[in-house]
Amino acid sequence: GTLWVRTYDGSASFPNDDRAYAIAVDDSGNCYVTGRAGESGTWYDATTVKYSSSGAEVWVNRADAGENSSDGASEVAVDAAGNVFCAGATDTDIGLLDVMTFKVRPDGSADWIKVYNYLEDDTTFAMAIDEFSNVYVTATSDGYEGDYDWITFKYNSQGSEVWNVRHSIWDEDDEPRAIVVDDFGSVYVSGYDREQGSED
């Protein structure tokens, strides 16, 4: 049967449409839930909650990209030291999304937040971490031709961008869906390209 159920209600009375989008667990059975929640004074934040294996709330981290932006995380992973990595999107301009990647320290305090903006909409689809706590994020990104491209990033554990790679087919929508990294540091991304009117 169910051992425990917990809910999180953002600190704001409005907006109050709070949603969880991803979950991860560590080797001690702690779980980390991330998504978005209405938080007082900052609109929607990318809110992450750590629960112990018995369901006790350990900490809450509210990642805010500023400017009363609407922030949310759709991906979460935890490393062996208890650092938590999340990725999602922030609406830093009306109707335009940017990729948002951030790290939370083991005590729940904010470490770093990175925002990527190319032209218009850029939003995360998947994230992975390796044994060295490097972070790999793949996202869609509006290209110069007005269609979606794949964009994949590598950040080190301190939040410095190591590289980014853009994949596109001219005048067609291309979207990633998943990312993995192997023990040798090779990165694999899958998704689809729309060529000649159909997806491949």
Side-chain angles (χ1 to χ4, degrees), residues 6 11 17 20 37-38 83 100 105 126 133 147 160 172-173 180 182:
R6 298 292 182 267
S11 58
D17 183 9
N83 297 294
M100 178 181 180
R105 299 184 185 99
S133 299
D147 298 296
S160 296
E172 302 290 355
D173 281 331
V180 294
D182 67 17

Side-chain angles (χ1 to χ4, degrees), residues 6 19 27 31 53 57 80-81 89 91 112 122-123 156 170 172 176 180 185:
R6 298 292 182 267
R19 303 186 183 198
D27 292 339
C31 69
S53 60
E57 184 181 293
D91 184 352
W112 49 260
D122 312 289
T123 188
N156 67 21
W170 180 260
E172 302 290 355
V180 294

Side-chain angles (χ1 to χ4, degrees), residues 6 44-45 54 58 62 68 71 81 101 121 125 133 145 197:
R6 298 292 182 267
Y44 282 113
D45 288 349
S54 61
V58 179
R62 302 173 179 92
N68 280 333
D71 310 312
T101 307
D121 280 338
F125 268 98
S133 299
E145 69 277 15

Side-chain angles (χ1 to χ4, degrees), residues 45-151:
D45 288 349
T47 300
T48 306
V49 185
K50 177 181 179 179
Y51 296 100
S52 72
S53 60
S54 61
E57 184 181 293
V58 179
W59 49 250
V60 177
N61 177 272
R62 302 173 179 92
D64 175 36
E67 301 178 7
N68 280 333
S69 57
S70 181
D71 310 312
S74 60
E75 308 295 326
V76 61
V78 57
D79 69 12
N83 297 294
V84 182
F85 301 88
C86 299
T90 177
D91 184 352
T92 52
D93 197 353
I94 296 174
L96 299 179
L97 297 173
D98 296 333
V99 174
M100 178 181 180
T101 307
F102 60 95
K103 177 183 175 183
V104 182
R105 299 184 185 99
D107 64 0
S109 60
D111 193 334
W112 49 260
I113 297 176
K114 299 296 178 180
V115 174
Y116 173 82
N117 172 44
Y118 191 59
L119 292 175
E120 293 187 358
D121 280 338
D122 312 289
T123 188
T124 299
F125 268 98
M127 183 192 74
I129 62 173
D130 65 19
E131 62 179 320
F132 304 106
S133 299
N134 297 303
V135 187
Y136 305 83
V137 178
T138 193
T140 58
S141 178
D142 269 342
Y144 282 109
E145 69 277 15
D147 298 296
Y148 285 124
D149 299 336
W150 302 21
I151 181 80

